[in-house]
Amino acid sequence: MIRPIYLYGAEVLRQTAAPADLNDKEGIAALIKDLKDTLVVADGCGLAAPQIGVSTRVVIVDGDVVSETYDYLKGFRRTLINPVIVSESEEKTSYSEGCLSIPGIYCDIVRPKKMTVRYYNEELQEVTEEFDNFACRMIQHELSHLEGDLFTDHAAPVRKKMISGKLQNISKGKVHPHYNSRLK
């Protein structure tokens, strides 16, 4: 089912998400399907459960959307349930990030270049995997949503000032993304 994407200002985006109940296989499968269906319509490269109003620790990423720029991401898709960051590299990189919950705003954000994450996949098997470059970026961005953290929180102070009016407009509903969205 395609769900509305919650926009900047929605309380669910600032909550720390609860762990997914691994015994609720049907519920997890339904949530993953909703995330995938919604992501396809929104044309994004990642989506976290809080972005569709569910404060649960589940995220999906799909590198195909950005594979023209990052060809190594062709076919890269992951579902991460109850992810835990095991380690992050000291080496950092900067990329311009955007977010379906903050339409029309982009900021250069510095994050670790590599990280190792332990998570459960769609088959509820535990996996430990290392990610680097833009795959790492996509996953870090989505994992931040599980902590109630948005990419704009990490923008340079001058950039935060520059976008503050746009963020206020989003929180007041003065934005019209091409996908179904909501504030509350």
Side-chain angles (χ1 to χ4, degrees), residues 107-110 151-165 167:
C107 300
D108 289 338
I109 304 298
V110 176
F151 82 96
T152 51
D153 298 337
H154 302 283
V158 68
R159 185 72 176 129
K160 284 182 184 179
K161 283 188 180 196
M162 292 172 62
I163 63 172
S164 64
L167 291 173

Side-chain angles (χ1 to χ4, degrees), residues 34-155:
D34 290 354
L35 284 165
K36 288 179 177 181
D37 291 348
T38 303
L39 186 62
V40 167
V41 169
D43 198 29
C45 64
L47 197 61
Q51 291 180 274
I52 62 168
V54 181
S55 190
T56 301
R57 300 185 80 77
V58 177
V59 304
I60 62 170
V61 294
D62 184 347
D64 274 344
V65 176
V66 294
S67 64
E68 282 188 24
T69 304
Y70 306 106
D71 62 338
Y72 59 90
L73 290 176
K74 183 77 175 158
F76 178 84
R77 293 180 183 89
R78 296 290 186 280
T79 299
L80 292 83
I81 303 165
N82 295 339
V84 174
I85 297 172
V86 175
S87 65
E88 297 176 322
S89 67
E90 289 185 25
E91 183 180 2
K92 310 281 187 202
T93 60
S94 178
Y95 286 98
S96 180
E97 291 188 24
C99 182
L100 294 171
S101 292
I102 309 175
I105 295 179
Y106 300 89
C107 300
D108 289 338
I109 304 298
V110 176
R111 296 188 191 261
K113 184 177 181 180
K114 292 181 182 180
M115 72 176 179
T116 301
V117 181
R118 186 175 55 248
Y119 63 94
Y120 291 90
N121 63 19
E122 287 188 55
E123 291 77 38
L124 301 181
Q125 300 165 326
E126 190 174 57
V127 176
T128 300
E129 188 172 3
E130 182 178 272
F131 302 99
D132 63 5
N133 299 317
F134 203 77
C136 181
R137 173 68 46 155
M138 290 188 303
I139 291 169
Q140 287 174 8
H141 178 105
E142 299 310 325
L143 296 187
S144 290
H145 280 293
L146 303 181
E147 303 304 325
D149 194 22
L150 302 174
F151 82 96
T152 51
D153 298 337
H154 302 283

